[in-house]
Amino acid sequence: MSEDGGKATSLTQIPSVERLMSSAPFEPLIAEYGRSQTLTTVRRILDEHREAVREAAHGPAPTSTDIETFATRTSTLLAAAARPRLRTVFNLTGTVLHTNLGRALLPDSAVQAVVDALTRPANLEFDLETGTRGDRDDLIAPLLRGLTGAEAATVVNNNAAAVLLMLAALAPGKEVVVSRGELVEIGGAFRIPDIMSRAGAKLREVGTTNRTHVHDYANAIGPRTALLMKVHASNYSIEGFTHEVALPTLAALGREHGVPVAVDLGSGSLVDLSSYGLPKEATVRETLEAGADLVAFSGDKLLGGPQAGLLVGRKDLIAKIKKHPLKRALRVGKLTLAALEPVLQLYRAPEFLRERLTTLRLLTRPASEMQATAERMLPAFAQALSATYTVQIEAMLSQIGSGALPIDLLPSVGLVARRADGKAGGRVLLRLEQALRELPRPVIGRIADHALRLDLRCLEPGDEAAFVAQLSLLRL
Ligand SMILES: *Cc1c(COP(=O)(O)O)cnc(C)c1O
């Protein structure tokens, strides 16, 4: 019985819910988080505590039952629950359009437009000229037409949705001819064959992985053919003994048979990137001029805007797409449209684009800027690391990312940490990688060749102080 008696005594020492909730240390918690949330947390802590007391009956004395201790624990749990799960990070991976880190960063004009759209009513589907119901696509269609030369345009949630919708609307129960060299999988379960079947279209593969000829397409065309489709090999390249059918040739074949030609351009640039010193990519306008009847592309890859899927091309085809019931399910919200419009506007003044479009600014930053950043960051970073590590400035290569121009790399500079004892990285490097990730604003780098690499391309001057300020919190 003495054992039970001991337990009872310990359990009775635990303060009641009411006592805690009405005590002074809990006042600020209730004021900040509200009564019900605090109460739920207190109950949970008391339950845990009782459990601990019961389990400790045979072992060491139970933990403190001091009210202050309960308040501290409650505060910790409440703060943890209130902390946003979507957090700002430092992208020092060297991949500018990093899909897992949110891809394109928006320019200030787009951010302001989003704030306005969030906090005030807007003419999302209201025609201000006639005072009648409008079409949300009309907010950006004229801009897209002007920038690409297309007859018509529409916008959906992302490029995957654009491709799905296009196939569902134009090829239900019919065949879509695609080269075997273009049956791509983009990260995150977007595979052309799967999208095709989900859209209710039949994939008609032609050619081989490395070589497809125009007669392969021609032989596949029949009464059930709804579309000829080309897909941008976004994240891989086929080299060596290869052949693909150029778009003008395919477009001529399509016209001859009265079959539309669609292109999933993936990234889809609106300007000639080679004029900014970046690798050449066919623009959306060039793709249309080469004979595509429809082009689908992303809003948040090279375009530098919000997540969106843009479809431009022939008026009759766009009209058909817009009438499909899936359009309603895949449509964009006002935040997307608010952000997209100012980004598209920037393209009307290409001479300022490099300066004003964040994505282009990051992609074209000269290595000398990153070198200067590295020199400013090095002392603080070296000091924050223990003697286990050595740090130095090194040249490295950044990637555009998001499947845009996968094999092209941009000269950059970064901070590189290695083990001071010269041994391979292993757990010691993983510990540093984790410690950086656990900072208040997580720093995401990358481990390669037995070194932790922090590519400074995406650390802009305005963020340098924030980067340095939190280094004192690094726990290795
Ligand atoms: C990125 C990409 C997609 C998917 O675009 P999201 O905007 O990410 O949905 C589809 N096709 C190609 C060729 C791509 O590169």
Side-chain angles (χ1 to χ4, degrees):
M1 279 289 128
S2 70
E3 201 181 289
D4 282 336
K7 244 198 264 181
T9 312
S10 300
L11 287 169
T12 51
Q13 278 169 354
I14 300 174
S16 69
V17 172
E18 295 70 26
R19 174 131 175 265
L20 289 177
M21 289 294 285
S22 56
S23 69
F26 278 80
E27 249 173 57
L29 296 180
I30 293 167
E32 183 170 355
Y33 298 102
R35 175 165 294 275
S36 67
Q37 197 186 176
T38 308
L39 185 62
T40 311
T41 309
V42 166
R43 285 203 173 115
R44 187 176 133 199
I45 288 171
L46 286 176
D47 284 347
E48 283 170 11
H49 194 78
R50 278 188 208 101
E51 192 58 33
V53 168
R54 277 189 209 103
E55 278 171 15
H58 301 285
T63 50
S64 166
T65 50
D66 192 32
I67 289 184
E68 285 288 350
T69 310
F70 279 113
T72 307
R73 172 108 179 98
T74 309
S75 169
T76 306
L77 288 188
L78 284 169
R83 194 167 72 164
R85 304 282 293 166
L86 182 65
R87 287 160 65 196
T88 304
V89 304
F90 285 102
N91 171 13
L92 305 190
T93 60
T95 300
V96 176
L97 295 167
H98 197 300
T99 296
N100 305 139
L101 301 181
R103 291 192 185 162
L105 304 177
L106 298 189
D108 289 346
S109 53
V111 173
Q112 191 50 54
V114 170
V115 171
D116 288 346
L118 268 171
T119 51
R120 299 183 176 99
N123 61 326
L124 179 63
E125 287 187 346
F126 186 79
D127 187 329
L128 291 172
E129 271 167 36
T130 60
T132 56
R133 195 197 153 118
D135 175 348
R136 64 181 70 198
D137 280 352
D138 289 347
L139 297 169
I140 46 93
L143 265 169
L144 277 171
R145 287 201 307 267
L147 293 168
T148 64
E151 285 175 10
T154 183
V155 54
V156 287
N157 184 50
N158 55 21
N159 189 35
V163 174
L164 175 74
L165 178 62
M166 172 176 90
L167 294 169
L170 304 181
K174 298 233 182 105
E175 288 182 0
V176 180
V177 187
V178 186
S179 161
R180 289 196 169 90
E182 297 174 8
L183 295 176
V184 306
E185 172 182 314
I186 310 293
F190 176 87
R191 301 169 124 196
I192 291 294
D194 297 346
I195 287 278
M196 197 78 76
S197 60
R198 293 287 163 170
K202 288 202 180 66
L203 171 63
R204 180 75 192 265
E205 313 174 17
V206 297
T208 63
T209 306
N210 57 331
R211 288 173 72 84
T212 302
H213 304 277
V214 70
H215 57 78
D216 293 323
Y217 286 97
N219 291 342
I221 296 178
R224 305 192 51 76
T225 311
L227 268 184
L228 305 180
M229 182 158 125
K230 270 186 90 64
V231 183
H232 190 286
S234 291
N235 46 13
Y236 69 100
S237 74
I238 297 178
E239 283 173 52
F241 186 55
T242 66
H243 187 263
E244 72 166 305
V245 177
L247 185 54
T249 311
L250 192 64
L253 182 71
R255 272 196 303 278
E256 189 186 316
H257 292 272
V259 179
V261 175
V263 178
D264 171 8
L265 206 48
S267 216
S269 182
L270 292 179
V271 286
D272 180 0
L273 293 172
S274 64
S275 68
Y276 299 93
L278 292 168
K280 172 84 187 156
E281 272 279 293
T283 64
V284 176
R285 180 184 284 275
E286 284 164 354
T287 307
L288 288 166
E289 282 169 0
D293 296 291
L294 266 181
V295 182
F297 56 105
S298 285
D300 58 350
K301 293 185 181 172
L302 283 173
L303 186 81
Q307 179 189 305
L310 306 162
L311 271 166
V312 300
R314 253 167 59 187
K315 207 170 173 176
D316 58 325
L317 300 177
I318 295 287
K320 207 164 172 186
I321 285 168
K322 288 182 64 158
K323 273 197 223 107
H324 193 277
L326 266 182
K327 169 67 163 76
R328 175 65 174 74
L330 301 173
R331 74 179 185 187
V332 291
K334 64 180 176 179
L335 300 190
T336 303
L337 289 165
L340 188 56
E341 187 181 1
V343 170
L344 292 175
Q345 280 288 358
L346 292 182
Y347 281 90
R348 299 182 69 208
E351 60 270 48
F352 305 130
L353 201 59
R354 182 185 210 142
E355 184 189 324
R356 294 180 183 170
L357 187 70
T358 314
T359 297
L360 194 58
R361 187 172 70 239
L362 292 174
L363 289 175
T364 57
R365 277 187 95 187
S368 59
E369 269 189 34
M370 283 77 91
Q371 174 72 32
T373 309
E375 282 162 17
R376 285 192 297 271
M377 298 298 108
L378 182 66
F381 189 60
Q383 205 196 350
L385 301 191
S386 60
T388 318
Y389 304 93
T390 56
V391 192
Q392 61 194 57
I393 297 172
E394 284 181 26
M396 51 186 67
L397 295 166
S398 319
Q399 291 201 16
I400 295 175
S402 273
L405 319 150
I407 50 177
D408 296 296
L409 298 162
L410 316 167
S412 187
V413 177
L415 298 171
V416 179
R418 291 192 176 77
R419 279 177 67 146
D421 60 13
K423 291 190 186 145
R427 248 180 247 144
V428 175
L429 281 184
L430 287 173
R431 195 160 71 226
L432 176 56
E433 186 266 340
Q434 183 181 350
L436 286 164
R437 233 182 324 114
E438 285 171 355
L439 286 169
R441 181 168 163 191
V443 174
I444 317 293
R446 102 188 113 99
I447 292 178
D449 303 329
H450 306 303
L452 178 92
R453 291 158 197 280
L454 301 180
D455 185 321
L456 297 174
R457 175 176 297 277
C458 296
L459 182 66
E460 292 207 88
D463 264 346
E464 285 180 16
F467 177 78
V468 171
Q470 64 169 5
L471 286 176
S472 62
L473 301 172
L474 198 67
R475 292 282 165 267
L476 283 167

